[in-house]
Amino acid sequence: MEDDVYSFGLILLQSLIGPSFSSRNETFLLNEMVSLGTLDGQRRIVDPTVLASCSQESLSIIISIANKCISPESSTRPSFEDVLWNLQYAAQVQATADGEQRF
């Protein structure tokens, strides 16, 4: 089960980074997770389409849960229920941001 959460974290990371994911090795990407904690790092690594369409708060939630999923310390990885809860929360945050932009 722990390996499944790790794999899911890599899928989340792939979703954030986009097509460039397949051209980079896993170790490089795991090292780049540190950069996702800063706005400059996000601009450098995250797919421009994701940056343009995702609120900063929602993006931060997704980065946080992906980071927890790929933690080298398997005992600190979240359960699938925690992952799903956080993704649902990120979707609600995004829906709120999208609604505020309309007005």
Side-chain angles (χ1 to χ4, degrees), residues 29-93:
L29 293 171
L30 295 175
N31 290 335
E32 288 295 312
M33 281 302 292
V34 174
S35 299
L36 291 175
T38 67
L39 289 176
D40 286 338
Q42 290 172 13
R43 287 186 196 109
R44 187 171 48 84
I45 298 169
V46 175
D47 186 284
T49 304
V50 173
L51 285 175
S53 61
C54 199
S55 74
Q56 184 58 48
E57 186 177 0
S58 180
L59 182 61
S60 293
I61 294 166
I62 295 168
I63 290 170
S64 174
I65 197 66
N67 215 2
K68 290 174 186 174
C69 287
I70 61 174
S71 169
E73 200 56 47
S74 63
S75 62
T76 63
R77 291 184 190 145
S79 67
F80 266 107
E81 291 81 15
D82 290 339
V83 172
L84 291 175
W85 187 92
N86 277 280
L87 291 175
Q88 288 173 334
Y89 178 62
Q92 290 173 345
V93 168

